[in-house]
Amino acid sequence: FTEKQWKRILEAQEIWKTSKPLEGTLAESYLKTHRSIDGELSAQYRFHPSVINYDNFKRYPALVVSATNDKKEVQAIQAIYLDTKTANKINRPLRQKQNLGPTKGACVWLNGYKAGQPIAVVEGPETAATILQAKGESWAVVCTLGSSNFKSLSIPKDARHLIMVQDNDIDNDKPEQSAQDAALFYAKRGVTTWRVKPKESGCDFND
């Protein structure tokens, strides 16, 4: 990692260290009220009352999600900035979510993998929580915090089935290419890969 990347890693680790569980927080309200996620939430999702937004260098309460490396160390977080009055995401044009720390080689495992399970590989944390709520423990669910990280995911050696859950982005060329490259990469490892995304443009499976 570069010096700047190490700085962001330490920043992410400090934010995660000073965050707290979701129960009774603005982040829990966001997920349940605005994203209709009512099931048990992963311990990888927490709340922080004050995370900097580098668009305007102001601080906002945020849902924070930790991405860990193969050593289970926090390497990055994603902060989803929340409005204190509505518990929804802050208004654009400010950035509504931001990754802090390098995400390549790190991911968010929402639940544990069991031998032979299919693995749902999901772009965003809200969609990942929705998939976990729908499939329960029958699937392992992992969030990559972006389609560009599909290929850099470290999956268990015995995994044979991946479901790549894509967002249907309006500007779809780069995410689509990332998904195609990842599917080919895992196929060469003997992993059967399915790709799914919503029919409607600009949506994900949590919309």
Side-chain angles (χ1 to χ4, degrees):
F1 294 118
T2 66
E3 183 178 347
K4 183 178 180 180
Q5 286 175 321
W6 276 117
K7 183 179 178 180
R8 288 285 182 257
I9 290 171
L10 293 174
E11 180 182 11
Q13 290 175 344
E14 181 62 23
I15 291 170
W16 185 249
K17 181 180 177 181
T18 54
S19 65
K20 64 181 185 179
L22 289 174
E23 187 176 1
T25 70
L26 206 64
E28 183 185 45
S29 297
Y30 165 69
L31 290 169
K32 291 189 173 183
T33 302
H34 297 286
R35 309 304 296 204
S36 300
I37 298 167
D38 296 320
E40 185 176 350
L41 293 163
S42 170
Q44 300 302 105
Y45 292 54
R46 291 172 67 89
F47 172 73
H48 198 286
S50 179
V51 180
I52 193 167
N53 186 322
Y54 284 104
D55 270 5
N56 62 358
F57 292 90
K58 292 185 178 180
R59 293 182 173 272
Y60 299 88
L63 167 66
V64 291
V65 182
S66 69
T68 55
N69 58 24
D70 288 343
K71 297 179 180 180
K72 307 300 182 185
E73 300 166 334
V74 173
Q75 182 173 300
I77 63 160
Q78 183 171 102
I80 299 172
Y81 299 108
L82 304 174
D83 185 293
T84 55
K85 294 181 180 179
T86 66
N88 207 347
K89 288 186 284 191
I90 61 173
N91 292 327
R92 296 184 185 277
L94 286 173
R95 190 179 307 186
Q96 294 178 311
K97 61 174 64 177
Q98 181 169 256
N99 291 339
L100 297 171
T103 56
K104 186 175 181 179
C107 59
V108 186
W109 285 94
L110 276 71
N111 57 349
Y113 169 77
K114 298 175 183 176
Q117 271 187 321
I119 301 174
V121 183
V122 188
E123 290 189 44
E126 297 98 333
T127 304
T130 298
I131 298 298
L132 181 61
Q133 179 173 277
K135 302 304 293 186
E137 294 301 316
S138 61
W139 287 9
V141 181
V142 58
C143 173
T144 60
L145 301 182
S147 61
S148 61
N149 293 322
F150 277 164
K151 189 176 174 181
S152 66
L153 177 67
S154 178
I155 63 171
K157 292 182 179 180
D158 65 341
R160 290 295 175 265
H161 303 284
L162 291 185
I163 302 96
M164 297 175 64
V165 183
Q166 299 173 240
D167 298 344
N168 192 349
D169 299 306
I170 295 173
D171 181 14
N172 200 36
D173 291 344
K174 287 185 178 180
E176 187 67 17
Q177 188 62 52
S178 294
Q180 289 177 8
D181 291 346
L184 181 62
F185 173 78
Y186 293 118
K188 289 180 178 178
R189 293 184 52 185
V191 179
T192 302
T193 304
W194 294 268
R195 293 167 51 205
V196 297
K197 64 181 178 182
K199 292 182 179 179
E200 187 175 347
S201 180
C203 291
D204 59 42
F205 281 111
N206 181 255
D207 290 323

